[in-house]
Amino acid sequence: MPTPKNPKSAPSPKSANARKPLVYGAVIVVAAGLLGFASYKATAPDTASKDATATGPAAEVSADPNEGVYPELAKLARRDADDQLAIGPADAPVVLIEYADFKCGYCGKFARDTEPDLIEKYVKDGTLRIEWRNFPIFGEESENAARGAWAAGQQNRFWEFHRAAYAEGAKEKGFGKDRVKALAEEAGVKDLDRFMKDLDGDAARASVKKDQEQAYGIGATSTPSFLINGRPIAGAQPDETFTRAIEAAAEQAKTTGTAGQAGEPAK
């Protein structure tokens, strides 16, 4: 695999190379390799155009609902009803886990162009739950934004912060601490003093690290990376990729009677 040259389009060498996938089960080594390679290809800098890179061709979703699905990865869904970084019922038949960075342009594209439609179509009718995982890979400002998102969540304003941070032009303004505080204010966080303390607190750092290590553990090397009931999808793919995967997962859950079952955390 070639070494990425553009730091705006690829993870830093430290994050990409210093971490090794964890083994969650016998099949996860294969899944991790596939996701890692697909994730790199989805954001590789030397593609024909920026627009093609951002979306890429539709990722293949087999007609067989079991193909490309790894049960051990499905267990990474937390299904915690108190999780402020999630939206949708905890017992939804389908869980989409998103590993993302607020400085990632492709993550912003997904947040603006695809995610609202998925929420409208699948979250509101109880089919889908979306669980966010902070996966900062672009340095200090990424870490600031990730901890800020978590801190906003402590005051029930994570999704408002998410929307503000992914608005057109937001990442170009950077994510220094003053800017992150301004985003929190824009998101309607009421206690900004508490927000700033939470932002720099041990709990925020521990939460971000936990999510980050989980992403490295499944072989994700760039953002965004997704799991839909254990099916890896890399990059800001077209809407149809997500709708096909969600509908296949929902049908499979209906067939097997596994809808709403929380998975045991992978060891």
Side-chain angles (χ1 to χ4, degrees):
M1 183 182 298
T3 300
K5 297 178 181 179
N6 184 347
K8 294 182 179 180
S9 301
S12 67
K14 180 179 179 181
S15 63
N17 300 328
R19 310 284 184 153
K20 295 181 180 179
L22 303 176
V23 180
Y24 288 120
V27 298
I28 302 310
V29 174
V30 176
L34 289 173
L35 182 57
F37 180 71
S39 184
Y40 169 76
K41 292 295 288 181
T43 55
D46 298 323
T47 50
S49 72
K50 181 178 179 181
D51 289 339
T53 305
T55 58
E60 184 126 358
V61 176
S62 170
D64 180 351
N66 291 310
E67 186 175 339
V69 174
Y70 299 88
E72 291 300 311
L73 292 179
K75 293 179 182 180
L76 296 177
R78 292 169 183 162
R79 295 188 179 275
D80 179 357
D82 296 324
D83 184 356
Q84 295 297 326
L85 278 61
I87 185 170
D91 62 352
V94 183
V95 177
L96 181 155
I97 302 174
E98 177 185 1
Y99 301 92
D101 184 320
F102 286 103
K103 283 182 68 69
C104 164
Y106 310 124
C107 302
K109 181 175 179 61
F110 174 79
R112 292 187 300 271
D113 297 349
T114 301
E115 196 164 40
D117 291 339
L118 297 183
I119 290 172
E120 187 66 31
K121 187 173 183 179
Y122 297 111
V123 173
K124 289 187 176 180
D125 76 357
T127 299
L128 179 68
R129 174 178 175 84
I130 299 174
E131 295 186 356
W132 170 270
R133 303 286 191 269
N134 276 306
F135 187 27
I137 60 174
F138 294 112
E140 182 179 354
E141 288 199 353
S142 289
E143 295 275 351
N144 286 343
R147 296 198 311 274
W150 182 89
Q154 302 315 293
Q155 298 187 52
N156 302 313
R157 306 302 289 179
F158 167 77
W159 289 101
E160 291 78 6
F161 182 96
H162 174 280
R163 183 164 54 249
Y166 277 138
E168 284 283 4
K171 79 181 181 69
E172 285 74 19
K173 297 178 182 179
F175 293 111
K177 287 187 180 177
D178 287 345
R179 174 63 182 150
V180 171
K181 182 179 180 180
L183 287 170
E185 187 172 14
E186 182 181 339
V189 173
K190 291 183 178 180
D191 189 339
L192 291 175
D193 288 339
R194 175 192 168 190
F195 172 84
M196 294 305 290
K197 288 179 181 177
D198 285 343
L199 170 69
D200 279 329
D202 290 342
R205 295 177 189 279
S207 177
V208 170
K209 182 178 179 181
K210 179 180 179 181
D211 288 353
Q212 198 174 41
E213 292 297 336
Q214 185 180 96
Y216 287 126
I218 63 168
T221 59
S222 59
T223 53
S225 292
F226 306 90
L227 297 175
I228 298 179
N229 277 20
R231 183 194 298 276
I233 293 176
Q237 296 287 339
D239 292 7
E240 63 193 77
T241 296
F242 294 96
T243 58
R244 287 202 304 265
I246 290 166
E247 289 175 8
E251 187 61 30
Q252 180 67 5
K254 187 187 302 182
T255 301
T256 60
T258 57
Q261 293 183 6
E264 291 297 322
K267 303 296 185 183

